[in-house]
Amino acid sequence: MTGAQERPLRADAARNRARVLDVATEVFTTRGVGVPTEEIARAAGVGVGTVFRHFPTKEALLEAVMVRRLEAIAAMTAQLAAQADPAEAFFACFRLVVEQSAGKNEFAQALAAAGVDVHASLHEPTREIQTRLAGLLSEAQQAGVVRPELRLPELLALLVGAGAMLEQLGTDPAARERIFEVVFDGLRPR
């Protein structure tokens, strides 16, 4: 990290950075990662120089968006785990992770194509999410609401697979809900 990045941002600069990240998250998620940085700046109401001051490359912006999304998922997972019973928390978190993974592969591919080590840059928030999921899985199994033989690697594979299924379905809410029903039924003990 450079000295400039370690200094706290002025309030207006912090607001601009947050606004750029908000807009970039929305635009990249809904329109894809091919949207030019200039459009992000325009939509955020800032100059392109402001975007590049905070994110020197488009890849740095994409990486920041991905890290932010994963950190938000981790925070929401922690909140659900603290506020819900084990069954509700487990299934709500499963749904959350799948729904929030939309477009993640496109982000990762764009970053990898630019030479960014995606696994290294996303390691910490990914590890936090996996730790929380492991705890939720254990609690749900102890409560008897999830199959006892299911392990974390299998759960992670199911999350990835369910995310891919939802991408194939598009925006049909009834079909998406049926996918969750089928997967959740398979996760419950026999």
Side-chain angles (χ1 to χ4, degrees), residues 39-74:
E39 280 190 49
I40 302 293
R42 197 170 27 261
V46 299
V48 73
T50 298
V51 174
F52 286 122
R53 193 168 19 265
H54 295 289
F55 309 100
T57 64
K58 183 175 180 179
E59 290 75 23
L61 178 57
L62 283 169
E63 185 177 0
V65 167
M66 279 195 72
V67 168
R68 188 180 201 212
R69 286 177 68 182
L70 289 174
E71 288 171 345
I73 291 170

Side-chain angles (χ1 to χ4, degrees), residues 123-187:
H123 175 74
E124 196 58 38
T126 299
R127 187 179 61 74
E128 184 178 345
I129 292 169
Q130 288 180 357
T131 299
R132 294 198 188 285
L133 287 171
L136 288 167
L137 174 61
S138 177
E139 290 174 17
Q141 288 171 323
Q142 289 172 12
V145 295
V146 172
R147 299 170 73 123
E149 70 274 16
L150 185 69
R151 298 291 170 247
L152 183 61
E154 298 150 358
L155 174 60
L156 297 175
L158 284 168
L159 289 164
V160 170
M165 286 186 285
L166 291 186
E167 284 183 20
Q168 289 294 310
L169 289 174
T171 59
D172 180 354
R176 294 170 72 86
E177 192 55 38
R178 282 190 299 276
I179 290 295
F180 281 117
E181 288 174 12
V182 168
V183 172
F184 290 173
D185 187 50
L187 287 167

Side-chain angles (χ1 to χ4, degrees), residues 3 11 17 23 29-30 38 73 80 96 103 121 124 126 158 164 168:
R17 184 181 193 283
V23 169
T29 302
T30 58
E38 292 78 13
I73 291 170
L80 283 168
L96 169 77
S121 62
E124 196 58 38
T126 299
L158 284 168
Q168 289 294 310

